[in-house]
Amino acid sequence: MYANILVPVVVDEEAKTQTAIEAATAMADPGARITLLHVIETIPVYVSDYVPADYMITARESVAKRLEDLTADIPNGHAAIADGRAGPRITRWAEENGIDCIVIASHQPALSDILLGSVAGHVVRHAKSAVHVVR
């Protein structure tokens, strides 16, 4: 069905990530590229003084290792890390990389999601490719 699938993941949410990977694998054409993308949110300036100087380096290394582990069992699986606000960064990354389907996990909505919009909601509203939401 799809040749270039993006699966945005939060590396510390194992069950949601696995569900999204399984859905992406099921929808993939033979030989399809499946990319797991983790977006590292930018630390606000007013918080940066309280965060160790090497935090972002350590976080990126940790995320890279976890993504490497996750992609090991995915045929033609790839990993990517991007920086920024998750929703806009996912949709921009998908457009820049010719993604034809985004498979994203949805979380139980909280009041803040209703008022501000969730990451999955942003992706559904703004992606130029097909979006498959899994729970």
Side-chain angles (χ1 to χ4, degrees), residues 64-127:
K65 174 65 176 126
R66 184 67 190 118
L67 287 174
E68 180 182 314
D69 293 344
L70 287 168
T71 58
D73 297 328
I74 301 171
N76 203 17
H78 300 273
I81 300 172
D83 298 300
R85 284 186 33 238
R89 189 63 184 108
I90 291 165
T91 54
R92 191 170 78 241
W93 198 97
E95 190 173 341
E96 292 169 351
N97 290 277
I99 298 299
D100 56 4
C101 182
I102 301 170
V103 179
I104 190 165
S106 177
H107 307 286
Q108 280 304 91
L111 182 58
S112 62
D113 293 331
I114 294 166
L115 297 174
L116 302 174
S118 67
V119 172
H122 179 91
V123 171
V124 167
R125 288 189 306 273
H126 297 283

Side-chain angles (χ1 to χ4, degrees), residues 4-11 13 15-28 33-39 67 70-71 74 77-81 90 93-94 99-105 123 130 132 134:
N4 194 7
I5 301 173
L6 177 64
V7 182
V9 299
V10 178
V11 294
E13 294 188 5
K16 300 271 187 198
T17 296
Q18 198 55 45
T19 301
I21 290 170
E22 289 169 7
T25 303
M27 293 188 296
R33 178 184 180 95
I34 298 175
T35 304
L36 305 185
L37 172 69
H38 179 86
V39 177
L67 287 174
L70 287 168
T71 58
I74 301 171
H78 300 273
I81 300 172
I90 291 165
W93 198 97
I99 298 299
D100 56 4
C101 182
I102 301 170
V103 179
I104 190 165
V123 171
H132 185 88
V134 297

